[in-house]
Amino acid sequence: MKIAIPHALLYYYYFPLWDTLFRELGFEVVDTGITNKDILDKGSKAAVSDICAPIKIFTGHVIEGLEKADYVFVPRFARIKKPEYFCPKFMGLPDIIEGTVEGSSGRIISPIIHEKNNEDISSPKIYGILTEIFGFSHRELRLALKKAEEVFLRFKSLLHSGLTCDKALESYRTQRWEEDLKRVKKDGEVTIAVLGYVYDVYDSFISMDVIKKLEAMNVNIKTFEMVPTDIAYENLRHYRKRLFWTFSNRVLGAGLFYLKDPEVDGLIHVTAFGCGPDAIVGRFLQYESDIAGKPFTTLRVDEHTGEGHMITRLEAFVDMLKRKKWARVSHGI
């Protein structure tokens, strides 16, 4: 039995957990691969026209998965931390897919993720749908989830040790694990916190490999997933209330943490055009960066973003940071 995991949205954060879970249960897991123009075109044609680019890309990956596997995994993310929620598009994702993708009805596996405080999403009650549809025993499911949770925690420890999501995923696939920590770049001329949702930052087609481009400019990279959840939320304490969306709070909390980090020279917010939660997160980050006196810029990406335009902006921002750092060093500040 083949099950496809779309290479989009929270794939970049939860793939090791889901991949391990399904393999332990005896599935052949199909990764739909990195986004390309064909996948984007399929998603754009099927999805409603005014929806954000990440959902169009996810739709394209679902179509790709339906062509290669018996089932496609489309979890319904409601919440993983009370009282916060996910963007409504995540909560309605299985309905969006079944309403727009021909032939998806009956082939979408959609567990409901609605947890009070469980970022690891490895609770057996979430995946009870697998016992109902495929006849696995509860013991088989618990054992598979135990293994999946172990793998996911090891994956997260790589992130907290400084690996970006794409490098940590590669470590998982190659089983090199902690050996890859020596790949963490620490000798760059400047350090930039690249903040944004994993599906905006790590989708190489939509973000045009922003992190690889920055590393090629001799930049050290920090990202939100490198900051443990409790530290990110600790940095949100000076606000009267938190945002409604979990990963928005993670991105904002990590941004506030990096603004106090003397090693970080500047911040880049990567956001998809039309993202409602990011309209708020971006303004907070810009406001707090002004107060902290650290350079900040926004890279707004969608399916029409030109690479030349992005490279020019990145080069200008990095050059400015290098000049500021040289000036500080030359004045002994």
Side-chain angles (χ1 to χ4, degrees):
M1 189 81 70
K2 292 183 180 179
I3 188 163
I5 300 179
H7 198 116
L9 295 182
L10 293 179
Y11 164 97
Y12 298 96
Y13 199 70
Y14 286 116
F15 178 74
L17 185 146
W18 293 330
D19 182 53
T20 304
L21 168 64
F22 287 120
R23 290 185 190 280
E24 288 292 311
L25 289 173
F27 285 92
E28 181 181 342
V29 175
V30 176
D31 184 332
T32 56
I34 61 173
T35 305
N36 54 40
K37 189 174 187 309
D38 183 53
I39 289 175
L40 175 60
D41 287 346
K42 287 177 182 175
S44 297
K45 187 176 179 180
V48 294
S49 59
D50 58 348
I51 208 159
C52 63
I55 299 296
K56 291 178 182 175
I57 288 172
F58 185 85
T59 303
H61 280 280
V62 170
I63 295 171
E64 191 79 3
L66 289 170
E67 294 171 356
K68 297 178 177 177
D70 303 295
Y71 296 93
V72 179
F73 186 64
V74 184
R76 186 189 300 276
F77 272 94
R79 75 180 188 197
I80 57 175
K81 186 177 181 64
K82 189 180 180 180
E84 302 162 7
Y85 284 89
F86 277 75
C87 162
K89 293 163 193 165
F90 280 76
M91 290 191 271
L93 195 55
D95 306 313
I96 292 172
I97 293 300
E98 291 207 20
T100 55
V101 177
E102 189 176 345
S104 62
S105 182
R107 296 176 61 195
I108 300 297
I109 305 300
S110 302
I112 299 172
I113 298 169
H114 190 270
E115 299 289 283
K116 288 182 179 177
N117 190 17
N118 179 20
E119 183 189 89
D120 299 344
I121 59 169
S122 55
S123 168
K125 71 177 183 181
I126 295 175
Y127 302 95
I129 189 174
L130 298 178
T131 64
E132 297 169 13
I133 296 177
F134 300 106
F136 299 115
S137 69
H138 293 290
R139 183 175 183 276
E140 288 174 318
L141 181 61
R142 282 199 307 273
L143 291 174
L145 281 168
K146 183 179 179 183
K147 177 69 175 177
E149 183 181 28
E150 290 172 0
V151 169
F152 181 60
L153 293 177
R154 194 173 181 184
F155 171 76
K156 279 207 311 183
S157 75
L158 294 183
L159 301 179
H160 295 164
S161 297
L163 279 186
T164 54
C165 260
D166 53 350
K167 289 175 181 170
L169 283 170
E170 187 180 342
S171 294
Y172 163 70
R173 294 191 190 97
T174 59
Q175 296 292 293
R176 289 197 300 261
W177 291 110
E178 287 75 12
E179 286 180 40
D180 278 350
L181 288 178
K182 59 188 176 188
R183 299 174 64 201
V184 177
K185 183 176 175 57
K186 298 178 180 177
D187 58 351
E189 293 177 78
V190 293
T191 299
I192 296 177
V194 180
L195 301 168
Y197 307 125
V198 289
Y199 45 87
D200 290 332
V201 173
Y202 295 108
D203 188 301
S204 59
F205 191 83
I206 195 169
S207 77
M208 288 168 281
D209 283 327
V210 59
I211 286 183
K212 290 180 182 175
K213 285 183 170 59
L214 286 168
E215 287 180 331
M217 297 175 194
N218 203 18
V219 172
N220 301 328
I221 300 295
K222 303 282 188 182
T223 60
F224 93 84
E225 63 272 11
M226 295 178 188
V227 180
T229 304
D230 57 338
I231 295 178
Y233 277 85
E234 182 66 28
N235 280 274
L236 295 172
R237 278 179 173 266
H238 75 281
Y239 292 134
R240 291 177 60 189
K241 61 183 291 187
R242 298 199 299 258
L243 301 175
F244 297 109
W245 314 282
T246 295
F247 278 95
S248 301
N249 281 318
R250 290 282 307 276
V251 170
L252 179 57
L256 298 178
F257 172 77
Y258 286 133
L259 285 173
K260 292 182 282 190
D261 185 342
E263 292 184 359
V264 174
D265 299 290
L267 283 74
I268 295 176
H269 183 216
V270 180
T271 177
F273 182 80
C275 176
D278 262 359
I280 299 172
V281 173
R283 293 299 294 173
F284 270 113
L285 287 173
Q286 183 175 13
Y287 174 77
E288 299 287 357
S289 297
D290 287 345
I291 293 175
K294 287 201 176 183
F296 170 86
T297 192
T298 299
L299 284 181
R300 189 164 285 107
V301 295
D302 66 11
E303 63 267 43
H304 307 299
T305 304
E307 186 170 8
H309 162 76
M310 174 177 280
I311 292 175
T312 300
R313 292 196 61 191
L314 290 178
E315 287 178 340
F317 190 69
V318 171
D319 283 348
M320 181 267 291
L321 293 182
K322 289 178 179 177
R323 289 174 184 276
K324 282 177 69 74
K325 192 162 188 174
W326 292 337
R328 287 201 306 272
V329 171
S330 63
H331 288 86
I333 300 174

